Amino acid sequence: MSALPQALEQDYWVADIKLAEWGRKEIALAEVEMPGLMALREEYGQKQPLKDARIVGCLHMTIQTAVLIETLQALGAQVRWSSCNIFSTQDHAAAGVAARGTPVFAKKGMSEEEFWWAIDQTITGPDGWTPNMILDDGADLTVRLHEKFPEIMKNIKGISEETTTGVLRLYELAKKGALLAPAINVNDSVTKSKFDNKYGCRESCVDAIRRATDVMMAGKVAMVCGFGDVGKGSAESLRHAGCRVMVSEVDPICALQAAMEGFEVVTMEDAAPKADIFVTATGNKDIITADHMRAMKNNAIVCNIGHFDNEIQVESLRNMKWTNIKPQVDQIEFPDGKKILLLAEGRLVNLGCATGHPSFVMSASFTNQTLAQIELWKNAEKYENKVYVLPKHLDEKVAALHLEKVGAKLSKLSTEQADYIGVEKTGPFKKDEYRY
């Protein structure tokens, strides 16, 4: 167990502050690929809509997150930050923002104990600093504040939540009447779930497996557990790389979608002895069990791209022989001599073994986050302690801010056309019930 720092000489905790120059160079590159966030800086910079907001954030401390942090600051907010995953921090990104005065507490490969310690460092700061807004990914920070810091929660005006798993936890709190502030479910904005979850995974799933293993993907059999947005993107990623892809599902609608896309829909029991690569993408637990892994081929690759670390029964492997090949790549030998490769210890493979989603798709997600923070900060009195989604016109705005970058040109409705389908000429263009 790592010894926790007893007293910090500075108000940050990163692997190496000397990495800041490298971090700044990559942050500058990312800004070019994040037109949504840069447009918000231009639109709202003078107005300072987040003035006096004190945001505590817990989200993967990557280069793209650095651009989000500095956007929030450009709009007037004070920010303290930690990472929501022990393997996802990009140390040069953390150094890049820390060197400019942002209190960030994150290191790639930190221990579980350090993870919670780092979160706690963000909840309070010098001169009595405490947050009045929460920006979260997975709801660890939100739950921590609810359970350990209820007095601070009294001053929280709003919560914005990034991911599927965190949203589920928020809905659970709301159902019990235990949610202590209004929350916006950013994950279910169309420009988050259909872009970050699907198109992001379509690029970063195979990227991570290749960086970790250098394995030839073409000709391999791959198994994707779950065909939600993350599973859809991951299955496409593997198919584009030349894999023959199988999918498992509990939801008959998603299973039928997978079949209609040309994927073979099977169970894990069917796939365990057949596939070469396994990717979990369900957001649920115990998806790949110890029995499944015992049935796998020698040198099968096992990884997770769903949010938490319990989709694969990693703890059941701890008594096996582990050989660390390189950071976040472990070879595990079973008593019969058969081996498997486990990536990122069952945590998010695309952030543990690669650099996560591309900047452009994260611009859509983080533009939603910024709009959610502005909405809750400016209009908290309109909301009860429930979970909300951003209105459709803001979802459309996020998409519109990214069109020029990809060379897309919008058509315009005539008055007659708008009247014919019952919408305003300037949108929203779809009813709330519409499924993209």
Side-chain angles (χ1 to χ4, degrees), residues 216-222 238-239 241-244 274 276-277 297:
M216 180 79 176
M217 310 296 289
K220 297 291 193 300
V221 177
L238 291 156
R239 176 158 65 183
C243 291
R244 290 166 286 152
K274 297 176 183 176
D276 304 290
I277 300 165
K297 295 178 181 179

Side-chain angles (χ1 to χ4, degrees), residues 349-407:
V349 69
N350 58 332
L351 281 153
C353 296
T355 56
H357 297 335
S359 296
F360 185 80
V361 81
M362 293 312 301
S363 179
S365 299
F366 289 166
T367 302
N368 278 293
Q369 277 283 11
T370 304
L371 290 171
Q373 287 284 316
I374 293 171
E375 176 63 20
L376 288 167
W377 178 245
K378 301 291 283 185
N379 301 303
E381 67 283 349
K382 295 192 326 191
Y383 296 96
E384 301 176 46
N385 291 352
K386 296 179 181 178
V387 183
Y388 299 84
V389 292
L390 284 168
K392 191 172 288 290
H393 76 273
L394 289 180
D395 223 343
E396 291 181 357
K397 175 176 180 172
V398 171
L401 291 174
H402 292 82
L403 291 177
E404 183 180 353
K405 181 70 177 174
V406 294

